[in-house]
Amino acid sequence: MSASERPDLTRIDLTRPPTMEAFGGYIAESAPNYARLVFPFDLRWCNPRGSVQGGVMAVYADEAVGYAMMATFPDLKTVWTTTSLTLNYLRPITGGDITAIGRVIRVGARTGYVEGEILDADGNLCVKAVSGLLILKRPDSR
């Protein structure tokens, strides 16, 4: 594909996009305004102290809130882009499955507010995230 070509996003398998594939995640639960994803602990994504690196946590949080939006707008006529993503790191994750939860809190005509949580295998809250979204209609949608 050349740089000027755009992929046909209506044909992408939304259950297994490249980010989820790369990090080994899967959708455990999905409903309008909500998504729960699970990622396996992997030492490749850890810092030298053996806990999951903060940037990886940002990926997990962004995926979770994105899937919550996808469950809210499943028709592919609405798209969004993250305008802000703020994470508060509360405790490290050093093993076990990682759960990322996304919740759509408010959607307006052009903006959305979503929240995310990342839990360790014992259900402890490790990261709290908030995100702002710019909501658009796909230019090729009718």
Side-chain angles (χ1 to χ4, degrees), residues 12-25 39 59 63 67:
I12 289 177
D13 179 2
L14 295 177
T15 64
R16 218 48 193 162
T19 306
M20 291 288 278
E21 187 77 32
F23 287 95
F39 296 91
V59 170
E63 287 293 302
Y67 273 96

Side-chain angles (χ1 to χ4, degrees), residues 68-78 80 107 135 137:
M69 284 293 288
M70 277 191 253
T72 306
F73 297 101
D75 63 8
L76 298 177
K77 293 180 182 174
T78 303
W80 51 89
V107 175
I135 299 170
K137 294 293 180 192

